[in-house]
Every structure is written in C-alpha cells, then in structure tokens.
Amino acid sequence: MNPARDSWPARGIEIELVGARLAADPSGALWWPEEKILVVADLHFEKGSHFALAGQLLPPYDTAATLARLAQAIARYAPKTVIALGDSFHDGEGPGRLAAEDRAQLAALQRGRDWIWIAGNHDPEVNGVGGSTFAMLAVGPITLRHEPQPADEAEIAGHLHPVARVRARGSSVRRRCFVSDGRRMVMPAFGAFTGGLNVRHPAFDLVFKARAFAAHMLGNDRLYSFPGARCLADEAA
C-alpha cells in the first residue's frame, strides 16, 4: 500500500460540497478520496485537428499534451474511477482522428479502472475509445453533469471554462479556476487548447447568486482562493 495515496493530498486544497470532502488539484483535476474518483472537465481532445480541417492550422499536439497532464494526475491519485465531464472531444468525429500513440495512451490510462464519459454539447456520444457514456451521473447527493443547471441541486459541472481575474500586489492576474459555493461547483477546463469565461460573466449568475462563491485559481503548484467579490471583470481590449 502506498501511504501517500491514502492521505490528504499536499498539493490540493479541500473544498467541501454538501458534506463531501473534495481536493481541487492545481492541474485542474478534482479528487474525491472517499469515492476514489478523479474528475476532469472539458478535455477537448482533437481540437487542433478540428480546426485544421477548416484550414486553421494549429500545432497538432493538444491531445498529447492533455493526455500527459491527465496521466500525471492519474499517477498521483490512483483512482478507481475517472469521470470526464463532457466535451472530452471537440467534436463527435474526434475519436476517429486520434493518432495511434494517443489512442494507446488513452487505453493505458483506462486499464484497471472504470472510465466514464459524461455527454457534452460537443460530444453527445463518445464511441470507439473505451469507457461508458452517461448523460449525467449521481454519486451520493451530488450530480455530475456537463452543463450546470439553474435548479438549486448539488452538482459538479464543467462547460463554462471558468477563469478569474484578481488584482494582487499591484498587478492583474487571470487564471483558470474552480468555482464553488459549498453546494455547486463549476470546474476549470482541463484541455490544452481551451479558453476561458470570466466568472463575472452573466452565465455564472444563473449558477451562483450574488457572486456568493469562491474562486480557487490554478497556480503552478498550488491554488489561490478568493471570494467572488474580489474577482474582477476582464479589461476591455
């Protein structure tokens, strides 16, 4: 037995959600120790190849980079189950465009554990790459889904790609973040080529009332937590 895997992770910070103790990791993954579940959101595999088909040439390394970061998180926590919260592929044809080495890497990560794809708006079904696809999944009192819902139920969702901007030590910092009010959580996008939506955007008002949330911003090796009232709108271009 590896004692490090059975203790509270030193890297992450604890976020309590309706009694569940969750660890937000600086990588953007979420670890649920009691259930041995690792959650990631918005991987957007094959986004680069999607844009290449439209003539917009991006470096074709986004899937490999995202898989490498995911492999590190899986090695760190050794989960029994991995849940990907939708938009795991940038489009429905993405699984068919996986390079052979990326397909092999994904299969290796799935080996020996349950792997669940939650349906997203970009990928309502994920076929041909192992695992099982669900529209949503309830674990205890918490529903895991792709898109946060206006209803006031305990949930973990993705879709919005939250980022927060704060002023600290005289400068402005903008980073991906976890957003939570103790009952609901929106996770940061995990994919290498994903952008972000500022937590001050009205879309978040449908999830969190009166900005009564905390933003847990991703750093290189730790997270930085700020109340919603400290978060700033993006500056005009």
Side-chain angles (χ1 to χ4, degrees):
M1 180 179 294
N2 185 342
R5 291 175 178 167
D6 297 325
S7 60
W8 191 256
R11 286 170 49 98
I13 64 166
E14 179 180 342
I15 300 176
E16 186 170 320
L17 211 67
V18 292
R21 296 176 63 234
L22 311 173
D25 189 87
S27 67
L30 185 71
W31 173 234
W32 193 338
E34 184 179 9
E35 302 289 343
K36 298 191 183 306
I37 291 174
L38 186 74
V39 186
V40 290
D42 297 280
L43 299 167
H44 282 269
F45 291 143
E46 294 305 304
K47 183 173 183 177
S49 65
H50 172 89
F51 279 93
L53 290 173
Q56 302 178 45
L57 298 183
L58 296 176
Y61 309 121
D62 56 307
T63 296
T66 301
L67 280 169
R69 290 174 50 241
L70 183 55
Q72 290 175 348
I74 288 174
R76 185 176 305 125
Y77 295 110
K80 289 177 61 178
T81 304
V82 172
I83 301 176
L85 291 184
D87 286 1
S88 300
F89 287 84
H90 192 68
D91 64 87
E93 304 302 318
R97 296 197 305 274
L98 278 175
E101 56 269 28
D102 293 335
R103 187 179 297 275
Q105 168 78 317
L106 179 58
L109 294 178
Q110 292 174 333
R111 197 167 297 126
R113 57 179 50 90
D114 292 326
W115 194 282
I116 297 172
W117 307 103
I118 299 296
N121 55 294
H122 281 258
D123 55 354
E125 292 186 26
V126 179
N127 298 313
V129 287
S132 304
T133 302
F134 292 84
M136 63 186 70
L137 185 70
V139 180
I142 300 173
T143 298
L144 294 96
R145 56 166 54 97
H146 176 60
E147 189 170 351
Q149 299 299 305
D152 186 28
E153 63 176 307
E155 70 173 12
I156 301 171
H159 183 62
L160 294 179
H161 299 206
V163 298
R165 189 172 77 88
V166 298
R167 191 166 300 281
R169 299 180 181 177
S171 64
S172 175
V173 178
R174 188 179 191 272
R175 293 289 185 93
R176 302 184 193 193
C177 65
F178 294 85
V179 191
S180 179
D181 62 0
R183 183 170 183 80
R184 314 182 79 190
M185 176 187 293
V186 180
M187 291 185 56
F190 197 87
F193 279 5
T194 50
L197 185 67
N198 191 298
V199 295
R200 291 284 300 272
H201 189 279
F204 288 94
D205 295 338
L206 300 175
V207 186
F208 305 105
K209 298 179 176 64
R211 300 198 185 106
F213 59 78
H216 307 283
M217 299 171 66
L218 309 187
N220 292 331
D221 56 5
R222 57 165 291 190
L223 290 98
Y224 301 83
S225 300
F226 296 91
R230 286 273 310 272
C231 298
L232 308 173
D234 285 335
E235 298 171 330

